[in-house]
Amino acid sequence: MLHVDKLNGGYIGKQVLHDVTFEVKKGELVGLIGLNGAGKSTTIKHILGLLEPISGSVTVDGETVQSSEKNYRKKISYIPETPILYDTLTLREHLTLMGKAYEIPERDLEERTGRLAKNMRMEKQLDWFPSVFSKGMRQKAMILCALVTKTPLLIVDEPFVGLDPLAIRQLLQLFDEYKEESAILMSTHILETAERHCDRFVFLHQGVVIATGTAGELREKYALSPDATLDDIYVEAIDVEERAR
């Protein structure tokens, strides 16, 4: 569903990514793991089409920004780390706006809105304005806006910030449903949760993919014990990479 191929990119005068290559298949939740400054946000911005690569390519469900920007963008939904909402629109109006932007049939939008709001315990807040939302409610609102689209690719950046344990559990259940027809790429620092719920991992360090695979495959790659945590695996991966340099 998502193919990142030899992506070199970054910002004017500063290259951040170096030959980044990985994929996320339909039915997968893949964790993008890295320290601060590893290049996770830059990678996400390139996938979203907000940055132009120096070289390499990003393909989503067979489409690229170059082949059709409109079609490409309609294949992606995004949950940012910091909620961005319109204070003059209710949550329901936000979801209606998403429906129009993604050309979702009105009946489908209504059904999805009701189901998702119920799952995230936001039914009573559908006609509220974001100015009265708590931090957790604002994050839930962004989650609803992304999930209602049912795009082929969902990109999630630190989705658990501000959510209580019950909301995190509900969100992970929704991810399980969403990925049945789509692919999910999730950037997070909460490795314990990622280890339990991600199908595979992409380790990014200093703009380079240093390892990919399941937790079991990565334990085997670095000759770690079966009870090694994802934290243990990632620290070992960094140590091996830096010793090699």
Side-chain angles (χ1 to χ4, degrees):
M1 194 67 74
L2 168 66
H3 296 272
V4 179
D5 186 31
K6 297 180 180 179
L7 177 63
N8 290 282
Y11 308 89
I12 297 176
K14 182 175 176 60
Q15 182 173 345
V16 177
L17 306 179
H18 306 273
D19 287 330
V20 169
T21 298
F22 66 90
E23 66 177 7
V24 184
K25 300 175 183 177
K26 177 180 175 181
E28 284 189 321
L29 169 56
V30 172
L32 182 63
I33 309 299
L35 302 174
N36 292 332
K40 302 188 302 298
S41 294
T42 305
T43 300
I44 288 173
K45 288 177 181 177
H46 276 286
I47 296 170
L48 292 174
L50 300 178
L51 293 175
E52 186 173 345
I54 298 169
S55 62
S57 64
V58 179
T59 305
V60 177
D61 194 26
E63 202 80 69
T64 66
V65 172
Q66 293 75 22
S67 63
S68 174
E69 184 174 353
K70 179 182 178 181
N71 290 339
Y72 179 86
R73 294 190 185 282
K74 284 178 63 177
K75 292 180 180 292
I76 305 172
S77 53
Y78 174 50
I79 303 174
E81 179 178 1
T82 302
I84 303 171
L85 299 166
Y86 298 102
D87 287 338
T88 56
L89 296 181
T90 65
L91 174 54
R92 191 186 304 276
E93 289 170 336
H94 275 85
L95 295 168
T96 299
L97 180 62
M98 295 300 293
K100 292 183 181 298
Y102 283 83
E103 299 178 347
I104 302 169
E106 188 173 338
R107 182 177 296 179
D108 290 346
L109 179 65
E110 184 176 343
E111 185 276 326
R112 294 177 198 174
T113 294
R115 181 173 57 84
L116 290 169
K118 181 178 181 180
N119 285 341
M120 292 301 294
R121 296 174 180 263
M122 290 287 283
E123 289 176 290
K124 295 180 180 179
Q125 288 78 29
L126 280 171
D127 295 307
W128 291 15
F129 290 96
S131 58
V132 297
F133 284 175
S134 66
K135 183 177 181 180
M137 287 179 184
R138 293 180 69 88
Q139 184 66 1
K140 287 182 180 181
M142 289 302 300
I143 289 167
L144 294 182
C145 286
L147 295 184
V148 78
T149 63
K150 295 189 71 174
T151 55
L153 175 65
L154 171 64
I155 298 177
V156 191
D157 191 3
E158 297 293 347
F160 309 124
V161 176
L163 297 183
D164 58 53
L166 179 57
I168 291 173
R169 174 178 291 186
Q170 292 165 330
L171 176 58
L172 290 167
Q173 289 174 347
L174 289 174
F175 282 172
D176 285 340
E177 295 176 14
Y178 198 97
K179 73 178 186 179
E180 290 179 3
E181 298 296 330
S182 306
I184 305 175
L185 177 67
M186 179 175 73
S187 170
T188 181
H189 285 108
I190 305 178
L191 299 192
E192 182 180 356
T193 301
E195 182 176 2
R196 291 201 306 269
H197 296 279
C198 290
D199 300 292
R200 289 191 300 113
F201 304 93
V202 176
F203 286 176
L204 196 62
H205 185 58
Q206 296 181 1
V208 176
V209 174
I210 59 175
T212 63
T214 66
E217 290 169 345
L218 293 169
R219 289 188 189 98
E220 184 175 344
K221 174 182 175 68
Y222 295 107
L224 296 173
S225 65
D227 59 351
T229 66
L230 189 61
D231 285 275
D232 297 330
I233 299 168
Y234 184 64
V235 169
E236 180 64 19
I238 292 175
D239 287 345
V240 169
E241 178 68 15
E242 293 189 342
R243 287 197 300 268
R245 295 181 182 182

